[in-house]
Amino acid sequence: MTRVLFSSIFFLTVWMFETSFLSSLPSVFSIIPFVFALSVYLIQYHGMIDGLIWIIFYGLFLQIFHLTTIPLPIVSFTVAGFVSYISAKQLFSNRSFYGVAACATAGFLSRLILETIFAFLFSLKKHPVIDWSWFLPIRISEYIMLLCTIFFLFILLRPLRKFLQYSVS
């Protein structure tokens, strides 16, 4: 029960950090996918299913609070979470930057494909949901920021984890 409560509180804190602080930063820094990067890091590096749950709830919160222009974010993030989880368990080795980056890439690409399909289908039904001229450049920038975030997570969390491991024992 304590782990679930801690994980929920930590997710809400990280989600609020991304949607309130990071999204207010200028230029490309406003699209840092911090929750997604941290979730994939938890899935791949630590083998925690909490990361999958975080990705699903991230999509749910985006849908509930209408924080994205892309339709049905719950579906695209759920699929991205499962793709990341399955690729972490079956395809890529853990405990390396490349394994985490590969899982993040697989999840990001699955999300990108679904978002593109949904946006296209919704634009056929009614007025265009997004402006296609900025869709791909924004997603490429978001992918670069995802890899940078994972890289910095590796740099920052490894010493913290070692410190906590030695201080507890």
Side-chain angles (χ1 to χ4, degrees):
M1 181 67 180
T2 305
R3 180 172 172 236
V4 172
L5 182 64
F6 177 74
S7 179
S8 301
I9 291 171
F10 191 67
F11 164 73
L12 289 173
T13 304
V14 171
W15 179 77
M16 285 189 288
F17 174 73
E18 180 180 331
T19 56
S20 61
F21 175 69
L22 291 179
S23 63
S24 68
L25 293 176
S27 184
V28 74
F29 297 108
S30 65
I31 56 171
I32 295 174
F34 191 68
V35 173
F36 190 76
L38 190 59
S39 300
V40 171
Y41 178 83
L42 289 177
I43 290 170
Q44 175 66 9
Y45 198 79
H46 294 288
M48 296 174 66
I49 198 162
D50 296 16
L52 171 63
I53 296 167
W54 285 15
I55 293 172
I56 293 170
F57 274 97
Y58 184 73
L60 178 68
F61 285 177
L62 288 178
Q63 178 114 12
I64 290 172
F65 297 116
H66 304 287
L67 295 176
T68 182
T69 58
I70 305 296
L72 301 174
I74 181 67
V75 176
S76 58
F77 275 94
T78 300
V79 170
F82 276 106
V83 166
S84 297
Y85 185 76
I86 290 169
S87 64
K89 295 296 180 191
Q90 303 295 327
L91 294 176
F92 304 113
S93 64
N94 62 349
R95 305 204 186 269
S96 71
F97 170 75
Y98 301 111
V100 178
C103 284
T105 300
F108 183 82
L109 286 177
S110 66
R111 193 188 100 207
L112 177 65
I113 291 168
L114 280 175
E115 286 178 348
T116 305
I117 291 170
F118 289 150
F120 177 72
L121 291 176
F122 274 71
S123 68
L124 291 178
K125 188 174 182 179
K126 49 185 173 179
H127 61 84
V129 182
I130 61 169
D131 182 9
W132 291 102
S133 64
W134 61 262
F135 182 74
L136 191 58
I138 290 290
R139 292 303 180 233
I140 291 171
S141 300
E142 184 181 5
Y143 176 68
I144 292 168
M145 296 307 290
L146 173 67
L147 293 180
C148 291
T149 304
I150 290 172
F151 180 72
F152 285 117
L153 283 174
F154 258 82
I155 291 173
L156 297 175
L157 293 181
R158 185 172 291 170
L160 179 64
R161 189 175 57 253
K162 286 181 182 179
F163 172 74
L164 291 174
Q165 180 183 11
Y166 290 123
S167 65
V168 171
S169 14

